[in-house]
Every structure is written in C-alpha cells, then in structure tokens.
Amino acid sequence: MTVNLAIDLDRSSPVPLYFQVAEQIAEAIRRGDLAPGARLDNEILLADKLGLSRPTIRQAIQYLVDKGLLVRKRGVGTQVVHGQVKRSVELTSLYDDLRRAGQEPATQVLALEPRPAEEDIARILGVETGAQVLYLERLRFAAGEPLAVLHNWLPPGLAPLSADDLQGRGLYELLRGAGVRMRVANQRIGARSATQAEARLLEERRGAPLLTMVRTTYDDQGRAVEHGSHVYRASHYSLEVTLIER
C-alpha cells in the first residue's frame, strides 16, 4: 500500500530541500505514520507533488536508505524497513532474543553435517585437526526479513540436532535441553562488506556493510562447546552494551 505524505517545505531556509524532505519522512517513520513495509510514491510522483526536481527527491531517498530507514526493492519500489533489531550482548541465542522482542524469528537450515575440523577450528574446540565436528549453517529471519547468516561448529556427540529442531528452536535452547551447561563466552564484534553469496542470502547489494560476531562458548568445566562466526545486516541489526565503572 502506497502512503501519501504531507511534507511542508521552507524554501527560504538555508537547510537543503533534500534534507528537509528526508527529515520529515524520517519523523513520519518515528511517529509510526509510516509503518514497516509501507511504500512511498515513486520519485517522479513525489517530485511533482512537492514541486522539486527528481535529483533532489533521489538524494533525500538515498539519504534515508543509507540510514537504514528505507529500502529499495526491484519491482516493489521504496519501502520503510522493519524496525532495527537491538540486541544486548549477553550469553543468549539470537533466536531467543528475537522471540522475546516479538520479532517473529524463523530459520532456514542451509547445512547440518559432520565435517573434518580445519586447524583453527580444531584448536578452538580442543580436537585433532581433521577430526569430525558438527557444522551448521543457518539463515535467520526476523519479521519476515533475512537478518543474519550463522555458521557454527560443535564438538562431536555433544547433542542430537536435526534440521526440524533448528528451524523451530534456538541452538542454545537445544544445547541446554541436552544437558550442556554453558557458562562463559569469548566474543569479538567487527564489520566488513558483504560477499556476493552473503548479499544474495540477505537481500543486500554486494559490498553492503555487515556486522560480524565471532563467539566461542565454554561449559562449566571450561570446555569449548560451540564456536560461531556470524554476519548481520547492519541496516537491520545493532548490539547494545552496558558499561560499568570499576
């Protein structure tokens, strides 16, 4: 459904017209006048309604796309994106965090198979190089939108896992249900550009910014029980950290 916007421009203001348009659209999104998934008029119609040039409207739209508030979809047009997922950095799974936030998590299992451990994975999990470990690759959705590509490696025999289990429940919930007592994790957060394969899965352009998270989780005996390397759409996802003075 296309939404008509009431935009008031002050042509005598030193504030650029494209920025006035962008800020009023952003405010309409913040107020909820433009709901997630709402479509805007195309650039030609918006330009005609506001008496502005198409390059000015295009600049306003691109500004909001870069801020992660709008998304362009081929054959659909320009839409308001779903609200960004904000996640506290805790020893929890993404699936459980999304479910608590009402974000309707869903999972597509891309791989679930034993693989020989490469040297770095073997060192992390405390097994011999070439030993069989369980490899998982999943595409995680939130509110119907692809959000993250998740890669995990687990020691053999840790827990019985099936694709059906992983589609309906979080990995940490399944591990805890199998008696794994996770206690601490080392985690590293970074950023990089999307590869062609990642862009295809996440419905982003190649080279789009992604957040990265690498985590190794240990049980109450100090044994590594899971290693993950994940990428998240920066336009849809952020991490929150509480800092405490010591």
Side-chain angles (χ1 to χ4, degrees), residues 200-213:
R200 177 177 52 81
L201 288 171
L202 294 172
E203 298 180 7
E204 291 277 4
R205 70 184 189 282
R206 182 175 182 176
L210 301 178
L211 289 175
T212 65
M213 185 170 71

Side-chain angles (χ1 to χ4, degrees), residues 41-232:
D41 287 327
N42 64 43
E43 292 175 2
I44 297 175
L45 286 175
L46 274 175
D48 287 345
K49 286 181 179 179
L50 299 175
L52 297 172
S53 67
R54 284 186 65 188
T56 297
I57 294 298
R58 189 177 302 118
Q59 189 176 8
I61 297 299
Q62 188 60 50
Y63 175 81
L64 295 171
V65 169
D66 292 341
K67 288 187 68 175
L69 295 176
L70 297 179
V71 63
R72 288 190 175 104
K73 292 187 177 181
R74 185 175 301 171
V76 175
T78 303
Q79 287 182 293
V80 179
V81 302
H82 289 279
Q84 190 180 58
V85 175
K86 294 183 179 179
R87 182 183 181 193
S88 297
V89 179
E90 299 174 357
L91 189 49
T92 56
S93 73
L94 176 59
Y95 187 94
D96 295 335
D97 289 341
L98 292 172
R99 186 167 54 189
R100 281 195 296 269
Q103 290 282 340
E104 304 172 24
T107 304
Q108 179 182 350
V109 178
L110 304 176
L112 172 60
E113 60 193 25
R115 286 189 181 181
E118 296 182 1
E119 184 178 353
D120 57 338
I121 298 298
R123 184 179 67 254
I124 291 168
L125 295 182
V127 300
E128 294 291 330
T129 299
Q132 293 290 301
V133 296
L134 184 63
Y135 171 71
L136 317 177
E137 183 178 355
R138 294 164 293 159
L139 179 60
R140 178 64 43 75
F141 296 81
E145 292 275 350
L147 177 66
V149 181
L150 314 174
H151 304 266
N152 296 86
W153 294 262
L154 284 72
L158 189 67
L161 299 175
S162 71
D164 287 343
D165 289 337
L166 291 164
Q167 285 170 359
R169 298 165 69 189
L171 176 60
Y172 280 14
E173 179 185 354
L174 292 168
L175 291 178
R176 289 188 173 105
V180 179
R181 302 175 65 181
M182 292 171 288
R183 284 293 178 267
V184 68
N186 293 330
Q187 180 167 282
R188 184 173 69 253
I189 298 167
R192 62 172 173 79
S193 300
T195 65
Q196 185 172 356
E198 291 165 343
R200 177 177 52 81
L201 288 171
L202 294 172
E203 298 180 7
E204 291 277 4
R205 70 184 189 282
R206 182 175 182 176
L210 301 178
L211 289 175
T212 65
M213 185 170 71
V214 178
R215 175 191 281 184
T216 305
T217 305
Y218 302 88
D219 66 9
D220 53 0
Q221 302 298 311
R223 296 171 297 193
V225 294
E226 175 265 337
H227 178 70
S229 178
H230 311 322
V231 293
Y232 305 83

Side-chain angles (χ1 to χ4, degrees), residues 15-29:
V15 177
L17 290 171
Y18 89 88
F19 191 76
Q20 292 186 48
V21 173
E23 283 297 284
Q24 291 187 54
I25 294 174
E27 181 58 30
I29 293 171

